[in-house]
Amino acid sequence: MRTTLFVLIWLALASCGQPKIETAASVADLPAAGGQASVQDDESQQDVVKIAANSAAHTTLVAALKAAEYVDALSNAGPFTVFAPTNAAFDKLPEGTLETLTSPENKDQLRTILEYHVYVGVITESMIQDGMTINMVSLDNATLGKKDGKITINGAEVAGSARGSNGIVYIIDTVLLPPEKK
Amino acid sequence: MNNKKVVVRMLAVIAALAAITVLQMCKPQAPTSVSGTDAAIKAYVPPGKYDEFYNLVSGGFSGQMSVYGLPSGRLFRVIPVFSEDPTTGYGYSEETKAMLNTSHGYVPWDDLHHPAISTTNGEHDGRWVFGNANNTPRVARIDLKTFRTAEIIELPNSGGNHSSPFITENTEYVVAGTRFSVPVGDKTDVPISTFKENFKGYISFISVDPKDGKMNIAFQLKTPGVSFDLSRAGKGPSHGWFFFSCYNTEQAYTLLEVNASQKDKDFIMAVNWKKAEEYMAAGKGEKAKVRYARNRYDETTHTATSEILTDVLQLDPAQLKDIIYFIPCPKSPHGCDTDPTGEYIIGSGKLAALIPVFSFTKIQQAIANKEFEGEFAGIPVIKYEAALHGEVKKPGLGPLHTEFDDKGNAYTSFFVSSEIVKWNVETLEVLDRVPTYYSVGHLCVPGGPTRKPHGQYVIAYNKITKDRYLPTGPELTQSAQIYDITGDKMKLILDFPTIGEPHYAEAIPASMIMPQSVKIFKLEENNHPYVAKGEGQAKIERKGNQVHVSMTAIRSHLTPDNIEGIKLGDEVYFHITNLEQDWDVPHGFAVKGANNAEILIMPGETQTLKWKPLSTGVFPFYCTDFCSALHQEMQGYIRVSPAGSPVPLKYSTGKVDDTATGAGQ
């Protein structure tokens, strides 16, 4: 009897509080914002965010994408070309820079920097010509280089690339900073 | 009563009281969040009750337009427009084939992106809804009394009719811009690499007869070879102007993914169409030789006719300098929307992370003061800052389209960041954002593109659904999502799957459409050449190898239902007249082995199915639309004999030759 009563009250309690919003279970440790990043799908090719999330060398970038709330955006249809700085690249920034950028009040600044790493459209290696400029999501230009098969962006070396379902990821050893506004 | 039972009852009462107390305690919580119940009530239309709005939704690659109710999301009808429809017989019946005629011959499919409801004084008037064919450039007019396609006009010199149809305040014109610039005139067989030299864009101004809606290409503007994406007419103070988004101002002709995204700014093209009208009146239009089809459906003969037209008048804004101005807009602008006041023009650079808002007043000042930064292909380019009201900063990623409410707010869709952002048009301040599931394209606020929006809902039309519904293999439905926008925060109240790609939609109060909806076609007004206005008029005529059967349908038989004397090699035309004069009693007709489709015949209407038998024998035919308790008895036979057979042509209903069996007696 006591058990029955307890269960009834517990049910009543459980039924109030925050209304439940149904979301699909989230993938790995990506945020369960209910956006496309949380779609459960192990069958399809990985998207550009999952490529970064599954790379031990890109934990800082993924943390920055989360802080800027860009994970869902880059999980969408795209197509994207993402220049993905490694943890070592972020380590090269002056001390304290990353902490400053990832604090909530600097979200817009962080977004601008991340937007300077994303181009909407897929530029494969073969499309790159030395000296080609591309206009990034931040609306700033970046310059691609290609000499003896080595690809660079603003002089930073591309260490490798990975093709994702919604774009291409180029791994770079330097964080790209948008040019100063005139 | 034993003690145990008393205890159980007491405990039950205590538990119930506790439950009620707890429920009451938590009731006022979370005022900003949507509970499932709140949302359900907002979108719920009880059985037997009507929706508040008609939602006219394009079918995208289905080529059709669908009619939903808002806020319930219930689908009422799919109107065949640019694609043949074997269900209704559209494009298959002899009467409707001409609707899909073009200068390229019969085209059975197209891609319908944008509905546009006709307006008077900048407000919806409920007369017609227009739609565009993207692939083989055409504009259709659908009559909102019958919900049928009444007219389709082809657009010469257009490479792909995406920037279409957009209408002026009083539906003076329906305007259509080309997505693909193409070589035109005498010089069409040119190398693709001569794009800059030989490719041109054209904007067609289609006049609409205010009495009956009949369309006619009044004139075309010859423009530089760029891609026109979307457009809106000015309204109020900006009436007389049109604003188009242009991309590929790089004039690339290959790998546009990279080559059309080089510049940080493309253009909004401002068109002074009143000025163009003045030049037309002054005889400045030049006649160009073209070929295009115009198809009209007549509701008394129940038959479409197609004509091929051979000339069009054109104006050249590079010569007539004050028709067109370019305004720079970041990058690859997609949506180009004017707010309800007509003062603000919102450009949405689909690859950008900001939204520029232009001011009509400032554009006029910039033109008067010649604040130009140069020319593009002979057209003046206004300085960006001179035309700019301001920018919405960091609204999201990939702004596409903007609709408006009646409180000075704008709602912009973001494809890449998959959200709707609400912002104030005057202050440019972002007020709210909600996610969509997923990758939203267009938005719809009822009356949103007009001077009188009904700011109750914004509906998102999504391109991708992934895990939102029960999966159906690799091919999934697309979706619409309704948000309540009456409060400060947008609240998702319902999502529902759609037909085809729900590309764009408009919504109009039901009260403007419902009273005018046609219930039947009057039999006495039926002027079809093969009509049989009663069973006594049912007949069969042979004209060589063509056999014309004027058949009637009424609950629950077809007249005639026994036909003999058809010979192999004959073409049989079943002209079926539905004799019913009763709401919602269509009949259908199908015959075994028909290589086309069925036909549906509305009350009072005549429709024709052509049938060419390929073998001898007796073939059944029947009514396909469940019409009565004896629907299953509504059937007949047609006998096909060898070519040259002496079997005479005869037909009957209810006539029994073999009295010995008693069949039919």
Side-chain angles (χ1 to χ4, degrees):
Chain A
M1 269 333 121
R2 278 167 203 279
T3 319
T4 315
L5 178 62
F6 175 77
V7 167
L8 281 170
I9 292 173
W10 182 81
L11 277 174
L13 281 168
S15 66
C16 74
Q18 284 304 307
K20 266 193 179 169
I21 294 167
E22 288 286 321
T23 50
S26 59
V27 173
D29 61 347
L30 295 173
Q36 277 197 57
S38 57
V39 172
Q40 269 201 318
D41 178 6
D42 299 326
E43 208 175 319
S44 301
Q45 192 182 8
Q46 291 189 345
D47 61 40
V48 292
V49 173
K50 284 182 183 158
I51 289 173
N54 289 329
S55 158
H58 287 90
T59 51
T60 311
L61 174 66
V62 172
L65 287 173
K66 282 185 200 169
E69 292 177 46
Y70 251 27
V71 172
D72 272 324
L74 293 177
S75 304
N76 283 338
F80 302 111
T81 298
V82 177
F83 294 89
T86 56
N87 294 347
F90 281 99
D91 291 343
K92 286 200 290 188
L93 291 173
E95 208 174 315
T97 312
L98 191 64
E99 289 69 24
T100 311
L101 283 177
T102 48
S103 65
E105 66 270 21
N106 293 326
K107 198 166 97 179
D108 275 1
Q109 208 188 337
L110 176 65
R111 282 194 158 209
T112 303
I113 291 175
L114 292 172
E115 285 166 358
Y116 191 56
H117 289 77
V118 180
Y119 173 83
V120 182
V122 173
I123 302 175
T124 57
E125 286 97 327
S126 64
M127 291 179 196
I128 296 175
Q129 291 158 16
D130 192 42
M132 173 178 172
T133 60
I134 53 173
N135 193 259
M136 311 303 278
V137 171
S138 67
L139 295 179
D140 302 298
N141 283 336
T143 308
L144 295 171
K146 195 181 198 180
K147 280 195 181 101
D148 307 325
K150 273 209 185 313
I151 293 166
T152 55
I153 177 160
N154 290 356
E157 213 160 281
V158 169
S161 69
R163 188 67 201 248
S165 59
N166 61 348
I168 188 163
V169 179
Y170 290 103
I171 297 161
I172 50 173
D173 62 358
T174 305
V175 177
L176 306 173
L177 296 175
E180 293 287 322
K181 294 270 185 265
K182 284 166 215 160
Chain B
M1 190 183 284
N2 64 34
N3 282 346
K4 203 175 173 185
K5 273 189 179 167
V6 172
V7 171
V8 170
R9 282 189 180 180
M10 281 176 68
L11 284 173
V13 169
I14 291 165
L17 282 172
I20 289 163
T21 313
V22 171
L23 282 171
Q24 280 174 342
M25 270 162 58
C26 59
K27 206 175 182 183
Q29 280 184 3
T32 53
S33 54
V34 189
S35 81
T37 319
D38 279 354
I41 286 168
K42 287 207 151 99
Y44 183 64
V45 178
K49 298 289 178 198
Y50 293 124
D51 278 281
E52 212 176 339
F53 295 97
Y54 281 91
N55 192 198
L56 298 160
V57 186
S58 76
F61 49 69
S62 85
Q64 320 294 42
M65 201 182 287
S66 50
V67 186
Y68 292 85
L70 293 178
S72 73
R74 296 181 293 190
L75 174 64
F76 303 138
R77 176 158 160 69
V78 177
I79 307 167
V81 185
F82 293 116
S83 294
E84 44 184 38
D85 180 35
T87 303
T88 58
Y90 181 81
Y92 293 94
S93 73
E94 294 307 298
E95 289 78 4
T96 56
K97 279 178 181 170
M99 289 305 284
L100 300 179
N101 190 40
T102 73
S103 63
H104 308 274
Y106 179 86
V107 173
W109 167 90
D110 219 299
D111 185 15
L112 195 166
H113 275 205
H114 310 117
I117 299 173
S118 57
T119 53
T120 302
N121 296 324
E123 295 178 18
H124 279 160
D125 59 24
R127 291 179 293 170
W128 309 294
V129 59
F130 299 87
N132 64 321
N134 250 333
N135 182 47
T136 302
R138 285 167 289 168
V139 167
R141 177 173 55 88
I142 293 150
D143 190 327
L144 288 176
K145 292 189 185 72
T146 58
F147 285 79
R148 289 181 170 210
T149 306
E151 186 175 12
I152 292 179
I153 191 165
E154 193 180 356
L155 302 166
N157 299 326
S158 175
N161 184 36
H162 186 270
S163 185
S164 164
F166 300 99
I167 51 180
T168 52
E169 275 202 339
N170 299 300
T171 321
E172 294 97 336
Y173 296 105
V174 172
V175 168
T178 182
R179 166 186 168 185
F180 295 91
S181 283
V182 283
V184 297
D186 303 332
K187 216 177 162 191
T188 54
D189 180 16
V190 297
I192 297 166
S193 59
T194 62
F195 187 107
K196 278 187 193 178
E197 183 192 338
N198 289 323
F199 287 42
K200 288 281 171 204
Y202 281 87
I203 309 271
S204 302
F205 281 71
I206 304 163
S207 63
V208 178
D209 191 315
K211 291 193 301 293
D212 54 18
K214 283 182 177 157
M215 297 190 286
N216 183 43
I217 299 179
F219 59 92
Q220 291 190 317
L221 296 180
K222 199 189 291 185
T223 69
V226 297
S227 296
F228 295 103
D229 214 351
L230 286 155
S231 172
R232 287 286 185 207
K235 34 180 111 93
S238 54
H239 177 62
W241 286 74
F242 239 108
F243 305 95
F244 293 84
S245 58
C246 321
Y247 66 107
N248 193 21
T249 55
E250 294 85 353
Q251 300 188 301
Y253 51 87
T254 180
L255 196 66
L256 267 62
E257 179 172 7
V258 176
N259 297 330
S261 311
Q262 301 276 307
K263 291 188 184 170
D264 61 347
K265 287 195 178 70
D266 292 283
F267 297 125
I268 298 292
M269 185 174 82
V271 177
N272 184 345
W273 61 263
K274 288 276 188 192
K275 184 62 79 177
E277 272 187 337
E278 284 173 25
Y279 284 125
M280 286 302 294
K284 301 278 186 189
E286 287 171 20
K287 198 177 269 191
K289 282 283 155 215
V290 288
R291 268 179 65 77
Y292 63 103
R294 182 171 60 193
N295 316 324
R296 288 175 175 158
Y297 197 80
D298 184 321
E299 290 290 12
T300 63
T301 59
H302 301 291
T303 302
T305 47
S306 178
E307 58 187 323
I308 295 287
L309 304 170
T310 54
D311 51 53
V312 71
L313 289 166
Q314 296 178 339
L315 293 172
D316 187 352
Q319 307 297 323
L320 307 165
K321 288 271 182 194
D322 47 0
I323 301 178
I324 286 183
Y325 301 89
F326 283 124
I327 306 161
C329 183
K331 36 183 301 184
S332 298
H334 190 64
C336 178
D337 297 288
T338 52
D339 85 318
T341 69
E343 167 62 12
Y344 298 113
I345 299 108
I346 289 92
S348 295
K350 65 175 179 251
L351 309 180
L354 62 81
I355 308 169
V357 179
F358 301 101
S359 150
F360 181 69
T361 309
K362 290 179 93 172
I363 292 169
Q364 295 307 303
Q365 286 165 357
I367 292 169
N369 300 334
K370 297 200 171 356
E371 292 180 76
F372 302 136
E373 63 173 44
E375 284 196 346
F376 177 80
I379 309 288
V381 180
I382 297 172
K383 284 182 181 159
Y384 178 66
E385 287 75 16
L388 192 69
H389 164 58
E391 292 170 340
V392 185
K393 306 276 190 195
K394 298 276 178 225
L397 191 52
L400 288 188
H401 306 285
T402 303
E403 295 259 316
F404 306 90
D405 68 12
D406 46 356
K407 300 178 201 75
N409 300 312
Y411 300 80
T412 302
S413 60
F414 288 79
F415 177 79
V416 179
S417 55
S418 193
E419 59 191 336
I420 305 172
V421 175
K422 174 184 176 182
W423 51 280
N424 183 281
V425 178
E426 197 63 46
T427 66
L428 308 171
E429 184 193 355
V430 171
L431 303 171
D432 189 26
R433 58 178 69 238
V434 286
T436 70
Y437 307 95
Y438 305 102
S439 299
V440 58
H442 277 271
L443 299 174
C444 165
V445 172
T450 72
R451 287 173 76 168
K452 190 184 173 187
H454 307 272
Q456 276 153 278
Y457 310 107
V458 63
I459 305 108
Y461 298 94
N462 300 312
K463 311 296 184 193
I464 290 169
T465 54
K466 289 208 188 254
D467 61 352
R468 292 296 292 180
Y469 303 109
L470 294 175
T472 54
E475 192 174 343
L476 303 174
T477 183
Q478 302 193 14
S479 79
Q481 293 186 300
I482 308 176
Y483 298 80
D484 175 13
I485 56 168
T486 52
D488 290 340
K489 297 281 177 192
M490 294 176 273
K491 291 177 186 172
L492 177 61
I493 58 171
L494 182 75
D495 74 5
F496 59 91
T498 58
I499 64 140
E501 181 215 351
H503 192 92
Y504 177 56
E506 285 204 30
I508 179 168
S511 58
M512 296 185 73
I513 302 288
M514 244 180 105
Q516 67 180 22
S517 192
V518 166
K519 293 185 174 67
I520 58 168
F521 295 109
K522 290 195 176 106
L523 199 55
E524 67 264 26
E525 290 171 9
N526 183 327
N527 290 327
H528 192 285
Y530 289 97
V531 64
K533 293 191 182 181
E535 290 178 5
Q537 293 180 19
K539 61 175 193 266
I540 299 185
E541 277 178 89
R542 175 180 281 283
K543 293 177 180 171
N545 71 334
Q546 290 189 350
V547 180
H548 291 271
V549 181
S550 290
M551 185 182 281
T552 63
I554 193 161
R555 284 165 284 183
S556 291
H557 57 273
L558 297 156
T559 305
D561 69 359
N562 278 198
I563 300 169
E564 296 192 5
I566 305 300
K567 311 290 164 58
L568 215 49
D570 283 349
E571 289 174 341
V572 182
Y573 292 83
F574 294 100
H575 308 283
I576 320 286
T577 301
N578 181 347
L579 295 178
E580 308 279 357
Q581 292 287 274
D582 188 5
W583 193 17
D584 198 17
V585 189
H587 289 292
F589 181 83
V591 57
K592 186 183 170 187
N595 295 111
N596 37 24
E598 67 156 338
I599 48 174
L600 291 186
I601 313 107
M602 296 305 120
E605 189 183 32
T606 304
Q607 287 288 292
T608 303
L609 188 74
K610 182 180 168 182
W611 179 65
K612 188 167 183 181
L614 300 176
S615 61
T616 59
V618 173
F619 296 79
F621 54 81
Y622 71 104
C623 170
T624 54
D625 194 327
F626 208 111
C627 56
S628 72
L630 293 173
H631 167 67
Q632 204 67 350
E633 281 70 18
M634 197 163 170
Q635 63 173 52
Y637 291 107
I638 185 165
R639 176 183 170 192
V640 179
S641 304
S645 149
V647 177
L649 194 64
K650 66 172 188 174
Y651 54 94
S652 61
T653 292
K655 185 169 178 293
V656 181
D657 285 345
D658 178 12
T659 50
T661 67
Q665 284 190 319

